[in-house]
Amino acid sequence: TRFPPHSTQRNKMESFKWVLVLLSLISASTGSKSGKKTLVLLENLSIKETHSVFFSDLISRDYQLVFKLADDSNLALSKYGEYLYDHLIIFAPSVEEFGGSVDMMALTDFVDHGGNILVAASSDVGDILRDFAMEIGIEPDERETAVIDHLNYDINDRGDHTLLVVDPSNLINAPLIVGKKTNIPILYQGLGLVADPDNPLVLEIMTGYTTSYSYSPTRSIEDYPHAVGKSTLLVAGLQARNNARVVFSGSIDLFSNEFFASPVQKSQVGSKEYQQNGNRALSEALTQWVFKEIGILKIGEVKHHLQGDNEPPAAYTVMDDVYYYIEIQELVEGMWVSFTASDVQLEFFRIDPFVRTFLNKTSDGKAYYAKFKLPDVYGVFQFKVDYRRLGYTHLFSATQMSVRPLEHTQYERFIDSAYPYYLSAFSMMIGVVLFSFVFLHFRDPNERKKKDN
Amino acid sequence: MPSEGIIGVLNDLWIHYKDQTSLKLKLIDAYLGYIMVTGIIQFIYCCLVGTFPFNSFLSGFISTVGSFVLGVCLRIQSNPQNRSQFETISPERAFADFIFAHIVLHLVVMNFIG
């Protein structure tokens, strides 16, 4: 029996719909590769309201925020080995233990796999955040302490001089991390941090003044404060060797609506009042840096060949003239554009660098090149570009090639300074021939005389 | 007096040499003198200019030294006054040895001179 024509058409429509649904699901799952899925762990749901401007700023930059309570028992950063989020915001200063499967190991594994974390603490900091900070080379002060500065507190401070007015000169000298230079101060109230002096990767994003120190505001000082002077960090960061970024702020109020809106004025007589403080701009710059919107470099094409050729030879020869070409791109507003610094260096490396030269921009400005002469040493060499700059990801490229010694026929045939030796050798030979002629045909005249006689 | 002694000895040596040595041996001596001069010139040149192509210097110098040694051997074996020590070696044999050794010497020199 035959199916009636209209129902086969209906079957086709049904299957087409399912194909569409399947395709949209696939595209939705791959859409998250743009790297904006963020888990926000809150201490309590009111933080979502008190920091709503901060979160709406992030949402307007296309971040997909997932809000959860820090002790939610279903918390999981990864499932079946895959990470569910690209970034993590922890606005839960006083939490003692995270819920679900999130613990210190999970957080450090998250960073090890390239995830970025923004953490904000406060004077009411829990031990797990202090432990996590120690893992990344930052030592926060104990609970119930704050950064105190008797010369730089805001006019609205409640008497214990912990509401600080931070000049932009206390920020790290890196526009990639903290935004363009301004002279608008920043309001801060919270915990003091100290960087581990042995850790080379910690960044001191915002420091205190020489007059700042970190201690309990209610107790009189009996022992040496945890942090004193310029080594008191207010906001610290880290770019790990796998380029994952972490920012640890001692003040969750730095990001709050109240601080964003409040004017800032130092308490000293005659200080300038700023209607608008720099907190919102700073938090925008910090989130741009920590969530990898800015300061990301990648390498495009890498080529090397003899000057004048287009293809690399199987092996170079000693003293060849070589041309090296590399494309470096920077992520600017979501697009990869060619990088424009002028201090990228190339090393020609075999255990030690033999040649170290700056890379020049090509004539169309899209890539870098270098031209140099290979040294008079043979072996297996690498072209190394190893670029580390504050705020940028670590750029590394190594291309290996071999350099052979001269072939037997490539040496100079007659060396100018050796002509006397050639002359003498040949003259010896000619001398022997002449001498033996004369010697053989020699007739002793004395004997002749004797014979005649 | 001492100076007279030394100069006197050298003078006597020269006169004795001129009279007593046969022309054949003087011929060999002239040839040896020529080799020595070339060798000395080469050595001075190397001291001045440096040993850059050291193999070339060595082969040029060894060519002169080797020729000198072979020439001296020929002279010894050709001197009739030494006949008692070289009973089995006729003058022809001495000359043939001289030529053969020279062939080997110059082969080595050409190889090493680079």
Side-chain angles (χ1 to χ4, degrees), chain A residues 221-284:
Chain A
I221 296 184
E222 272 140 34
D223 34 335
Y224 199 79
H226 177 81
V228 169
K230 274 255 170 209
S231 64
T232 317
L233 297 185
L234 308 175
V235 177
L238 177 100
Q239 180 168 280
R241 290 193 200 277
N242 62 349
N243 294 326
R245 292 171 172 168
V246 179
V247 167
F248 194 103
S249 162
S251 165
I252 190 175
D253 296 329
L254 182 83
F255 303 106
S256 65
N257 292 357
E258 187 193 331
F259 274 43
F260 277 6
S262 102
V264 60
Q265 184 185 11
K266 278 197 194 168
S267 65
Q268 284 148 344
V269 174
S271 304
K272 183 167 175 202
E273 187 193 6
Y274 293 88
Q275 277 301 327
Q276 179 85 2
N277 61 29
N279 284 35
R280 193 168 177 184
L282 177 68
S283 63
E284 179 181 350

Side-chain angles (χ1 to χ4, degrees), chain A residues 68-308:
Chain A
K68 293 221 166 129
L69 282 179
D71 45 18
D72 184 334
S73 54
N74 293 328
L75 274 186
L77 289 173
S78 71
K79 206 161 190 172
Y80 311 125
E82 268 198 22
Y83 280 90
L84 302 166
Y85 306 100
D86 304 299
H87 315 297
L88 183 58
I89 298 180
I90 305 182
F91 273 8
S94 68
V95 70
E96 285 297 333
E97 228 180 67
F98 290 107
S101 62
V102 177
D103 56 356
M104 260 261 295
M105 276 282 290
L107 290 178
T108 47
D109 279 346
F110 183 69
V111 176
D112 283 343
H113 280 88
N116 311 303
I117 305 187
L118 172 65
V119 187
S122 71
S123 293
D124 198 17
V125 64
D127 277 336
I128 194 169
L129 282 188
R130 293 186 72 237
D131 289 341
F132 175 64
M134 307 270 231
E135 279 287 315
I136 54 176
I138 298 164
E139 211 182 309
D141 204 350
E142 285 168 13
R143 226 188 166 116
E144 307 297 337
T145 60
V147 181
I148 304 169
D149 192 324
H150 299 299
L151 297 181
N152 292 300
Y153 57 94
D154 189 67
I155 204 167
N156 295 326
D157 179 76
R158 266 170 246 164
D160 47 10
H161 300 176
T162 54
L163 182 62
L164 304 182
V165 174
V166 183
D167 274 341
S169 57
N170 287 8
L171 287 171
I172 196 173
N173 187 11
L176 283 172
I177 306 179
V178 296
K180 276 204 269 275
K181 255 186 162 31
T182 63
N183 49 7
I184 302 174
I186 295 156
L187 267 180
Y188 182 94
Q189 180 171 44
L191 200 64
L193 315 168
V194 176
D196 179 2
D198 292 330
N199 191 324
L201 302 172
V202 173
L203 301 167
E204 301 187 352
I205 297 179
M206 192 156 88
T207 64
Y209 294 90
T210 49
T211 48
S212 314
Y213 63 97
S214 168
Y215 205 76
S216 163
T218 51
R219 285 178 22 220
S220 63
I221 296 184
E222 272 140 34
D223 34 335
Y224 199 79
H226 177 81
V228 169
K230 274 255 170 209
S231 64
T232 317
L233 297 185
L234 308 175
V235 177
L238 177 100
Q239 180 168 280
R241 290 193 200 277
N242 62 349
N243 294 326
R245 292 171 172 168
V246 179
V247 167
F248 194 103
S249 162
S251 165
I252 190 175
D253 296 329
L254 182 83
F255 303 106
S256 65
N257 292 357
E258 187 193 331
F259 274 43
F260 277 6
S262 102
V264 60
Q265 184 185 11
K266 278 197 194 168
S267 65
Q268 284 148 344
V269 174
S271 304
K272 183 167 175 202
E273 187 193 6
Y274 293 88
Q275 277 301 327
Q276 179 85 2
N277 61 29
N279 284 35
R280 193 168 177 184
L282 177 68
S283 63
E284 179 181 350
L286 282 178
T287 49
Q288 276 183 333
W289 185 76
V290 86
F291 296 146
K292 298 238 182 88
E293 282 180 58
I294 205 172
I296 311 290
L297 298 174
K298 83 164 181 191
I299 296 186
E301 193 189 348
V302 174
K303 281 197 303 199
H304 59 90
H305 50 76
L306 290 169
Q307 285 175 22

Side-chain angles (χ1 to χ4, degrees), chain B residues 18-34:
Chain B
K18 266 204 313 199
D19 291 336
Q20 299 288 342
T21 43
S22 62
L23 209 47
K24 186 159 83 171
L25 294 180
K26 279 191 193 155
L27 177 67
I28 300 184
D29 289 336
Y31 170 63
L32 290 177
Y34 157 69

Side-chain angles (χ1 to χ4, degrees), chain A residues 324-376:
Chain A
Y324 176 81
Y325 172 95
I326 183 170
E327 278 173 11
I328 303 179
Q329 291 168 330
E330 183 183 6
L331 189 64
V332 170
E333 286 169 24
M335 310 273 290
W336 288 104
V337 300
S338 53
F339 186 52
T340 51
S342 58
D343 60 349
V344 191
Q345 282 183 333
L346 169 71
E347 275 186 353
F348 189 64
F349 186 88
R350 181 197 79 173
I351 303 172
D352 289 313
F354 280 79
V355 175
R356 198 184 264 148
T357 172
F358 279 107
L359 286 173
N360 313 304
K361 287 226 112 204
T362 50
S363 47
D364 58 4
K366 289 209 170 69
Y368 291 89
Y369 76 95
K371 286 190 190 173
F372 60 96
K373 201 180 184 56
L374 295 179
D376 192 5

Side-chain angles (χ1 to χ4, degrees), chain B:
Chain B
M1 290 204 290
S3 60
E4 208 210 43
I6 289 176
I7 293 182
V9 164
L10 286 176
N11 227 358
D12 279 346
L13 181 66
W14 178 242
I15 293 170
H16 199 255
Y17 174 77
K18 266 204 313 199
D19 291 336
Q20 299 288 342
T21 43
S22 62
L23 209 47
K24 186 159 83 171
L25 294 180
K26 279 191 193 155
L27 177 67
I28 300 184
D29 289 336
Y31 170 63
L32 290 177
Y34 157 69
I35 294 177
M36 191 185 292
V37 164
T38 339
I40 289 175
I41 292 178
Q42 250 184 120
F43 192 74
I44 292 176
Y45 174 77
C46 176
C47 289
L48 290 176
V49 169
T51 59
F52 164 49
F54 197 54
N55 58 317
S56 306
F57 161 65
L58 277 185
S59 94
F61 194 65
I62 294 297
S63 131
T64 57
V65 167
S67 307
F68 188 84
V69 166
L70 292 173
V72 164
C73 288
L74 183 65
R75 188 189 195 280
I76 292 176
Q77 287 174 348
S78 316
N79 196 345
Q81 290 170 338
N82 292 339
R83 202 73 187 90
S84 54
Q85 287 177 326
F86 294 111
E87 296 277 303
T88 54
I89 301 179
S90 60
E92 290 80 18
R93 166 84 195 274
F95 188 72
D97 284 343
F98 173 76
I99 293 294
F100 178 67
H102 258 282
I103 291 174
V104 174
L105 173 71
H106 289 295
L107 213 62
V108 171
V109 161
M110 279 299 113
N111 223 325
F112 199 55
I113 201 160

